[in-house]
Each structure stands twice: as structure tokens, then as C-alpha cells.
Amino acid sequence: MPEISNEKSYADGKILQHAGDGVGVITFNNPDKRNAMSLEMWEGFGEALTALRDDDAVRVVILRGAGGKAFVSGADISQFEKTRHNAAASEEYARRSVAQRALLADYPKPTIACIQGFCLGGGMQVAMLADIRLASQDSQFGIPAARLGIAYGYDGLKHLVSLVGPSWARLLMYTGMRIDSAEALRIGLVERVFPEDQLWGETMAIAETISQNAPLAIKAAKITIAQVLKDESARDMDAIKAIGTACMDSADFREGRQAFMEKRKPQFQGK
Ligand code: COA
């Protein structure tokens, strides 16, 4: 992991955030519990996401876990007795984390989950809400809701089904089994798998490529793909048209054309 100079901390240091060269990084930092997410961490995660969203210099955000053993091992089960012991408590619990998940689901910038180690339960939900998932060879994935007696919820399952299809979603959910990176890659749960010692470098290389491309063109792709995934009746075709117009009328499109003709690297401004 690289030297970090401008790190900010949330949730008593259990969520860390830094940014440089157009790339924002959020680290789940509770390695003693394999980065299990407490409610305070969910809230801190939301604050970190908001800070990077509002930082104009940041063009892409990477999510990762500290400690090398886990991305996120799910919700912090030790809080359940107090905060999630029945349906009413669960509803209140969900309310405190739902805003942060919505923030990630509707994030205006590209997001990458960089997964090393266990990615379980609520950790899978975070990873599946990211645009792209990159994993180390030694990672393990699973949703042990059936082992705990938890209903996983609509949004999490919607993403699971859209990534791996209904049959794999059923196999994973009914058994609570864990699968390794090779299998996760095969079924479409992750996009790329790297040896442990190459994961961070490869993730940064992809993030830097994204950060140097035209932000409006990326936004157009992100908005359009999100609409493709909705039911036809719920699709916002006007949003697609608006970003398409903004993109094709942009100074960046002019810069992209000119740079190509002049055989130089384009410098995009996001407008
Ligand atoms: N919530 C709370 N604590 C957790 C946790 C979670 N989701 N996941 C791990 N921990 C804690 C363990 O209780 C243990 O604490 P201890 O040191 O005080 O005993 C510590 O993290 C290390 O976990 P351990 O099980 O010893 O490590 P491991 O490397 O053998 O296994 C996991 C790691 C993640 C596979 C295992 O801890 C696990 O199955 N966790 C629960 C995962 C889960 O069910 N998630 C879904 C929640 S909805």
C-alpha cells in the first residue's frame, strides 16, 4: 500500500479516506473484526463518500479493506442483540444504513471495490453496489444470511441476480456457501482477479486510466447503464438524453478530437 499524506478519519478511525491524482480511496479499517461494519462505520462511510463526491478533483473512488484478510466480513454481528433482534429493530437498523447504501447506489463518479480476503454478507452488498469488482486470488465470497436467520433484502438480491443470475443467487443464498475468487470470476461476481501482491497496483492502474478519461463520457456511460438495468417503465430516458447532449457539446469532446488529430494525450476538464 502506498504512503498516504492527506488521510481523513471517520467513525473513530474505522473508516479512512484519502485522495490524490484524481483517485479517492475509502478504507474499511476494523481489521480485528475482519472489517465487520458497525452502524457507526456505515455512517462514517456515508460521510467519506460524500466528501469524495463533493471534491471536484476526485474522478473515481476505490473501496478497500485494511489488514489484508478481509474486504468487509459483513455487518458487525456483535451489535445484533441490541440493534437488530427483531423486525422493528431491524427496520430501524436498516434505516441508519440505507442512506449510505443509496449514496453508493446513486454515486455520480465511478466506484471500484478492491477485494482482498473475505467479502461476506453486507460486504458483498457494498462490493455489488460498486461499479466494478477487482479481487485477489485468495479472496472468498458469500452471503451467510441463511446461517444467521437473516432476510437479505431486495436491493442486495437484485444486484446479486443481475450479476450472477437467479440460479447462482439461489445456490449462494440457500446454502450460505463461500466461493473462491476463481469461481466468483467464472460466474460474473467479480470482473478481474490478481495475485495478492499485484491487486493494489492493478486497481490503481485501472483507477488512473478512468481518472484520465473524459468525466462526462464516463458519466454518460454510468447513467445509461444504470437505466438499462431498470424496468423499461421506470427508465429515465430524459436523463440519458441530457447527459448525451452535455457530453457532445462539451469542451472535453473538442479536446478529445483535437488531441487525437494532434497525436497528443488529451487533458480533460469535465466540462
Ligand atoms: N461481526 C462481528 N465480529 C466479527 C465478524 C462480524 N461479521 N466477522 C469476524 N468477526 C470477529 C470474530 O468474532 C473474531 O473476533 P475475536 O477475535 O474477538 O474472537 C475476529 O473478528 C476474527 O474472526 P475469526 O473468525 O477468528 O477469523 P477467521 O479469519 O477465522 O474467519 C470470517 C473470518 C470472516 C470467515 C469469520 O469471522 C466469519 O464467518 N464471520 C462472520 C461472517 C458473517 O456471518 N457475516 C455476515 C453478517 S450479516
Side-chain angles (χ1 to χ4, degrees), residues 32-34 36 73-78 118 120 144 148 150 178:
D32 288 350
K33 287 193 174 182
R34 306 293 183 262
S73 67
D76 185 337
I77 302 169
S78 69
F118 295 108
L120 302 173
L148 287 156
I150 289 176
R178 294 209 297 251

Side-chain angles (χ1 to χ4, degrees), residues 159-169 172 184 187-189:
H159 286 105
L160 185 65
V161 171
S162 82
L163 286 170
V164 306
S167 295
W168 258 106
L172 288 168
I187 68 174
L189 186 57

Side-chain angles (χ1 to χ4, degrees), residues 34-105:
R34 306 293 183 262
N35 304 325
M37 289 284 279
S38 63
L39 282 171
E40 296 73 26
M41 285 172 71
W42 272 114
E43 284 162 355
F45 178 47
E47 290 172 59
L49 279 172
T50 305
L52 292 176
R53 181 196 64 191
D54 296 343
D55 182 342
D56 286 341
V58 171
R59 293 189 174 173
V60 52
V61 173
I62 299 172
L63 312 176
R64 67 175 182 182
K69 289 187 176 164
F71 176 70
V72 171
S73 67
D76 185 337
I77 302 169
S78 69
Q79 287 194 324
F80 282 9
E81 202 49 49
K82 234 169 135 183
T83 57
R84 213 181 179 184
H85 51 282
N86 60 24
S90 277
E91 213 164 293
E92 171 61 15
Y93 180 97
R95 198 189 55 73
R96 284 183 65 187
S97 56
V98 79
Q100 314 2 292
R101 283 199 296 273
L103 208 56
L104 183 54

